Amino acid sequence: MTHQELAQEVAQIARRAGAAIMAVYSKEDVGVELKADESPLTLADQAANEVICRALEALPVQYPIISEENKAIPYETRKSFGRHWLVDPLDGTKEFIKRNGEFTVNIALVDQGRPVIGVVYVPCLNELYWSVAGDGAYLEYNGEQRKLQAPAFKLADEGLRVVCSRSHLNEATQAFVDALAKPELVPTGSSLKFLIIAKGEAHVYPRLGPTMEWDTGAAQAILEAAGGAVINEETGQPLAYNKENLLNPHFIAYGHLQAE
């Protein structure tokens, strides 16, 4: 299968996972429990994960799956993965529990440490975002498809729209924002923060706090294909994947950043 064909198959898988999530969303009790790290888990996370993993395992091409909700795979095994699926079946579980609609289904194909296919589905909005490296990023909504283009800007510009988390605004992030000229904050949940930039509605997203690889892989692929970048704050290099520790470094996601 070509990457384009694979992306279309994965897009349909994400839609089916979204339907499983919405079936739980409509219930009064979404089955919240706490994982070992005290982060919340719902019946929707589990249902979506099962849909995605079963469907990926049924595809004509087979790659290992790293998912937030699967048992951890030791690095000794993972380090030999040339390609693998990276899955967050429900990103924004806290937003799901709050019932504000800002949660997503995320599936990426990682090749040699780089996300090359990204699919993000927003169940409450029925918005499907997808990308293939080198072939652009797209949004499908109401039967129409449009190509995404991240906005061009300079960090010295006034009035930059800065995406920030509804749940994680720390001192380092505030310092980044304070260094900008008359910025406008855009509070948003889940991987939607990357997508807002990819479709030109914001400029930058500083994440100077913890995230995991599955939180970012699919949305990074989409933003990069739309002309943006997701940069390790310390090294200045794009975020890399399938590291020994799946915790991401601090990063900054940009639209099309231009030199001063």
Side-chain angles (χ1 to χ4, degrees), residues 128-170:
L128 178 74
Y129 298 79
W130 64 275
S131 68
V132 173
D135 288 331
Y138 301 87
L139 166 60
E140 293 181 14
Y141 177 67
N142 276 353
E144 297 183 356
Q145 176 173 287
R146 71 178 176 94
K147 192 169 185 178
L148 301 178
Q149 181 60 57
F153 71 100
K154 297 178 180 179
L155 278 177
D157 292 346
E158 285 193 0
L160 293 181
R161 289 172 60 83
V162 182
V163 185
C164 59
S165 173
R166 291 200 186 279
S167 309
H168 314 277
L169 192 58
N170 58 21

Side-chain angles (χ1 to χ4, degrees), residues 91-102:
D91 183 39
T93 300
K94 291 178 181 177
E95 317 305 331
F96 176 86
I97 294 169
K98 293 175 187 173
R99 298 183 184 273
N100 67 14
E102 294 182 353

Side-chain angles (χ1 to χ4, degrees), residues 39-112:
S39 62
L41 176 71
T42 70
L43 294 172
D45 297 80
Q46 298 171 73
N49 191 60
E50 184 172 353
V51 167
I52 293 168
C53 291
R54 284 189 176 184
L56 292 177
E57 289 165 355
L59 288 173
V61 290
Q62 293 293 300
Y63 303 119
I65 301 170
I66 297 176
S67 170
E68 178 177 14
E69 307 308 341
N70 288 354
K71 184 179 178 181
I73 302 171
Y75 183 64
E76 284 302 307
T77 301
R78 286 193 290 109
K79 68 181 182 181
S80 64
F81 292 174
R83 292 179 176 176
H84 70 275
W85 296 111
L86 184 61
V87 175
D88 191 343
L90 201 173
D91 183 39
T93 300
K94 291 178 181 177
E95 317 305 331
F96 176 86
I97 294 169
K98 293 175 187 173
R99 298 183 184 273
N100 67 14
E102 294 182 353
F103 51 87
T104 57
V105 177
N106 299 260
I107 308 172
L109 179 65
V110 175
D111 186 353
Q112 306 299 328

Side-chain angles (χ1 to χ4, degrees), residues 3-44:
H3 277 182
Q4 287 281 359
E5 292 169 335
L6 201 51
Q8 293 308 307
E9 290 286 341
V10 174
Q12 297 313 308
I13 294 170
R15 287 187 185 276
R16 296 203 297 274
I21 289 169
M22 294 308 290
V24 177
Y25 196 58
S26 64
K27 297 178 180 179
E28 187 171 334
D29 181 5
V30 298
V32 181
E33 59 184 78
L34 293 181
K35 296 189 285 189
D37 63 359
E38 298 193 349
S39 62
L41 176 71
T42 70
L43 294 172

